[in-house]
C-alpha cells in the first residue's frame, strides 16, 4: 500500500504569525494533529504538531502570545505519494516523529500520520452481526 492511499488530503496551512491558540483551534476544528506552516520569507515549509503546542503550554508559555514560527519544525522530512507505507513508517521511526508532509511537484498534497498507517495495517474490525454468528 502507498502513502497516497493512507494520507489525509485535508492539509491545514497556516502562516508563521498564527498564535499557538489559533493553530490549536484550527487543528481541533478539523480533527487533525498537524499543520503545515508556510513562511515564504524564511525556510518555506515547516510543520507544527499538537505535540509542539502541548510542549509550549506545558512549559508555561502563553498560547496567545507564542507564534507558530517559534515552534515550527523546519528540518522536515517529506514523503512522496508513491512511497510505500513501510518507507513512511521507517522515516518516522528513524526521525522520531508521527507526521509526514506529503509533497508532489505542486507542493503539499497530504499528511500521513502513524495513525493513518496503523489504520491501513490493522485488520478490519468485525461487524456486530459477525460477532454473534
Amino acid at each position: 500500500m502507498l502513502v497516497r492511499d493512507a494520507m489525509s488530503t485535508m492539509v491545514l496551512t497556516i502562516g508563521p504569525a498564527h498564535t499557538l491558540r489559533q493553530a490549536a483551534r484550527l487543528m481541533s476544528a478539523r480533527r487533525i494533529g498537524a499543520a503545515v506552516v508556510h513562511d515564504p520569507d524564511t525556510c518555506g515549509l515547516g510543520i507544527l504538531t499538537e505535540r509542539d503546542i502541548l510542549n509550549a503550554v506545558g512549559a508555561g508559555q502563553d498560547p496567545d502570545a507564542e507564534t507558530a514560527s517559534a515552534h515550527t519544525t523546519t528540518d522536515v522530512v517529506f514523503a512522496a505519494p508513491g512511497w510505500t507505507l513501510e518507507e513512511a513508517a521507517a522515516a518516522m521511526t528513524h526521525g522520531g516523529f508521527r507526521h509526514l508532509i506529503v509533497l508532489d511537484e505542486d507542493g503539499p498534497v497530504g499528511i500521513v500520520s502513524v495513525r493513518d498507517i496503523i489504520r491501513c495495517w490493522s485488520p478490519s474490525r468485525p461487524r456486530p452481526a459477525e460477532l454473534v454468528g
Side-chain angles (χ1 to χ4, degrees):
M1 186 169 280
L2 301 177
V3 165
R4 75 171 53 92
D5 302 318
M7 71 183 189
S8 168
T9 56
M10 180 177 295
V11 179
L12 171 63
T13 303
I14 62 173
H18 275 81
T19 67
L20 294 184
R21 185 177 308 279
Q22 289 170 326
R25 281 186 180 144
L26 291 168
M27 290 163 61
S28 178
R30 289 162 179 79
R31 299 179 51 115
I32 56 175
V36 173
V37 181
H38 181 245
D39 187 353
D41 295 332
T42 60
C43 62
L45 293 179
I47 190 166
L48 179 73
T49 68
E50 57 197 356
R51 182 174 289 174
D52 297 324
I53 296 169
L54 182 66
N55 287 341
V57 172
Q61 296 174 326
D62 182 355
D64 292 313
E66 291 293 314
T67 61
S69 64
H71 300 277
T72 297
T73 299
T74 56
D75 184 20
V76 180
V77 175
F78 297 100
W83 277 19
T84 66
L85 293 185
E86 290 81 4
E87 289 172 309
M92 290 178 186
T93 301
H94 180 74
F97 45 81
R98 299 179 296 163
H99 298 86
L100 284 169
I101 299 171
V102 183
L103 293 181
D104 70 7
E105 320 68 59
D106 299 322
V109 293
I111 294 185
V112 65
S113 69
V114 170
R115 180 176 292 157
D116 296 327
I117 293 171
I118 290 171
R119 217 176 265 135
C120 290
W121 284 347
S122 294
S124 299
R125 283 196 227 168
R127 291 177 288 201
E130 293 171 333
L131 290 174
V132 176

